[in-house]
Amino acid sequence: MEDRLANTLVIYNTEQYKFPIMWNNYIIEMNLRRFIRLLTRTQGLEKFLNLNRNWRYRLLDVKWEIVFSYINKQVIGETTYKTDKFICKQKRMKIQRLIEEIPTIEQMKKSSYEIYQDFKCVFCYKKKEDFHHVWTCRHNRKILKQIIKRTIDKLIRLLKEYGATVDENKILTDINKFDIFFPKFRKDKFNFIDLIKGIFPKQLYDYIEKLEVIGKKNIVSLGTELLQYVMDETKQHIWLPRCEKLKIIEKRHGITEKDKKKSDSNVGKEKQEDILQRPINLFGRYEDLEGVKEYILFGKEILDFTVVVNRVGKI
Ligand SMILES: [Zn+2]
């Protein structure tokens, strides 16, 4: 009986491959299961890159391998003792930054409009507090510049730790030229806000690679450590003080935790507009990021593949 079943399966498989498998008039040469996975993941990558805030990364070259290593990094020495909850919280925070959805006042207006409608930045009281403003507010300008300086020092320390023996002054001059250490947001070039988001530019990766003393695997570790450093510094010196300040202001307005959990009853025009941009759930977004993971495995061709999918899809 088992023999017969095995035979049937062999025949079935042979039969199956007698016909070329087609997809939108393209012959699929790769393993079918793998193809379908690639297709799904590519759509995920597309969704991620098509989010308005991510279009820049179609033009700017990102070293995604380091971005993912950083997001999934567990704090060394703490993994065994700290609970999963802590790791989960860290990861959640990193993803929130990557998709620019940390709970800024503008972000909170999407769920608690009635409470926050008149709130502005808790430091300058003038501007709307959105993701970019948190880091670039006038009040934080000096602090941010100090963080950038410390980040560059950290990078030099890491390069030395990983075995680079190049002249420090030369490295400093080179590094200062990189777009990624620019303190203000620019659409068409990398800047420090990208590093805060956990984005690692290929430009910096290539520079380290050209020093020819640090292996590829170690550059990924170095990059991961650098991103973690930026995360910790900006959290400690900008984000946490901001949260403390907001707490005081909320208290002054008599806003309680219970108020924040209440859903809005009055839906105004501004609120309606905001709702249109209301974020879908975080884990859905994270699934889209899986597409980016595939980008790492398959390299740049996946974007060309996307173009084919689009073109064929429209006919
Ligand atoms: Zn401000």
Side-chain angles (χ1 to χ4, degrees):
M1 181 70 188
E2 264 178 32
D3 273 358
R4 266 175 64 193
L5 184 64
N7 279 337
T8 316
L9 283 175
V10 169
I11 291 162
Y12 178 75
N13 275 337
T14 333
E15 286 292 314
Q16 191 186 23
Y17 284 101
K18 266 184 192 166
F19 309 100
I21 298 161
M22 306 285 283
W23 178 78
N24 283 315
N25 291 328
Y26 286 84
I27 295 174
I28 302 167
E29 285 169 353
M30 71 199 297
N31 172 292
L32 193 60
R33 193 175 297 173
R34 190 154 179 76
F35 172 78
I36 287 168
R37 205 182 70 184
L38 177 64
L39 189 63
T40 320
R41 296 273 170 94
T42 306
Q43 284 159 350
L45 172 70
E46 266 220 301
K47 264 200 256 167
F48 177 79
L49 289 173
N50 278 341
L51 282 177
N52 253 340
R53 67 203 77 155
N54 293 323
W55 68 267
R56 295 170 64 240
Y57 305 124
R58 280 180 178 273
L59 311 171
L60 304 171
D61 248 343
V62 176
K63 191 73 191 168
W64 290 106
E65 197 180 346
I66 296 179
V67 178
F68 274 95
S69 160
Y70 154 77
I71 286 178
N72 294 315
K73 178 186 152 74
Q74 297 187 337
V75 184
I76 301 161
E78 288 184 328
T79 48
T80 10
Y81 307 106
K82 296 256 179 176
T83 55
D84 284 347
K85 223 176 171 182
F86 172 80
I87 296 157
C88 193
K89 210 177 156 193
Q90 268 265 319
K91 191 169 175 177
R92 189 185 165 88
M93 218 156 25
K94 287 174 181 176
I95 297 168
Q96 278 180 326
R97 279 190 180 198
L98 187 62
I99 62 179
E100 299 183 10
E101 284 180 11
I102 57 171
T104 58
I105 289 168
E106 288 310 302
Q107 190 68 24
M108 290 191 298
K109 277 186 189 174
K110 291 173 187 171
S111 53
S112 307
Y113 186 72
E114 283 177 359
I115 297 175
Y116 296 105
Q117 55 180 322
D118 297 323
F119 274 55
K120 293 265 160 62
C121 165
V122 299
F123 289 119
C124 66
Y125 301 109
K126 274 186 187 164
K127 299 265 172 81
K128 281 187 173 184
E129 191 206 53
D130 58 16
F131 182 82
H132 289 114
H133 186 76
V134 171
W135 318 110
T136 54
C137 174
R138 281 179 69 91
H139 175 91
N140 286 327
R141 199 172 288 167
K142 217 172 156 189
I143 299 169
L144 188 69
K145 278 194 174 159
Q146 285 164 349
I147 294 174
I148 294 174
K149 197 188 166 295
R150 285 201 296 275
T151 305
I152 292 174
D153 290 345
K154 173 81 181 173
L155 174 58
I156 291 173
R157 272 203 311 281
L158 284 170
L159 285 170
K160 281 184 183 170
E161 270 175 41
Y162 281 91
T165 47
V166 192
D167 173 30
E168 194 169 311
N169 284 330
K170 193 193 171 296
I171 293 189
L172 198 61
T173 322
D174 291 344
I175 287 174
N176 274 317
K177 283 184 216 147
F178 286 130
D179 296 332
I180 196 74
F181 297 111
F182 190 75
K184 286 180 193 162
F185 177 74
R186 296 181 294 190
K187 273 185 184 166
D188 54 341
K189 283 179 181 170
F190 279 118
N191 53 81
F192 200 72
I193 313 300
D194 290 308
L195 219 53
I196 292 175
K197 285 171 69 173
I199 292 288
F200 199 91
K202 199 172 168 294
Q203 183 189 31
L204 186 55
Y205 176 90
D206 289 343
Y207 173 76
I208 301 171
E209 198 179 28
K210 270 192 202 128
L211 295 175
E212 286 184 343
V213 275
I214 306 173
K216 279 184 182 151
K217 218 175 154 189
N218 276 339
I219 304 178
V220 174
S221 308
L222 186 154
T224 308
E225 275 189 62
L226 192 72
L227 288 178
Q228 185 68 44
Y229 181 81
V230 173
M231 162 57 129
D232 295 341
E233 282 281 308
T234 47
K235 187 180 163 197
Q236 190 188 339
H237 299 288
I238 298 178
W239 183 245
L240 290 183
R242 173 269 180 203
C243 293
E244 285 305 310
K245 191 95 192 277
L246 181 64
K247 249 189 228 165
I248 295 168
I249 296 172
E250 282 174 347
K251 214 173 166 188
R252 213 189 294 149
H253 280 76
I255 298 164
T256 62
E257 287 301 313
K258 211 175 150 195
D259 292 332
K260 287 193 230 171
K261 278 175 193 145
K262 248 193 297 180
S263 57
D264 289 335
S265 51
N266 174 30
V267 181
K269 192 170 175 274
E270 195 184 340
K271 167 106 205 276
Q272 267 179 342
E273 277 165 22
D274 272 345
I275 288 174
L276 293 176
Q277 299 163 31
R278 193 187 280 256
I280 35 173
N281 75 70
L282 196 64
F283 290 103
R285 286 282 169 80
Y286 188 61
E287 267 171 34
D288 292 345
L289 285 174
E290 288 288 312
V292 184
K293 228 185 232 173
E294 209 71 14
Y295 176 89
I296 296 164
L297 298 173
F298 286 89
K300 262 206 132 166
E301 316 84 72
I302 197 167
L303 279 182
D304 302 334
F305 180 80
T306 310
V307 174
V308 173
V309 174
N310 268 345
R311 211 172 35 227
V312 174
K314 273 173 194 152
I315 293 168

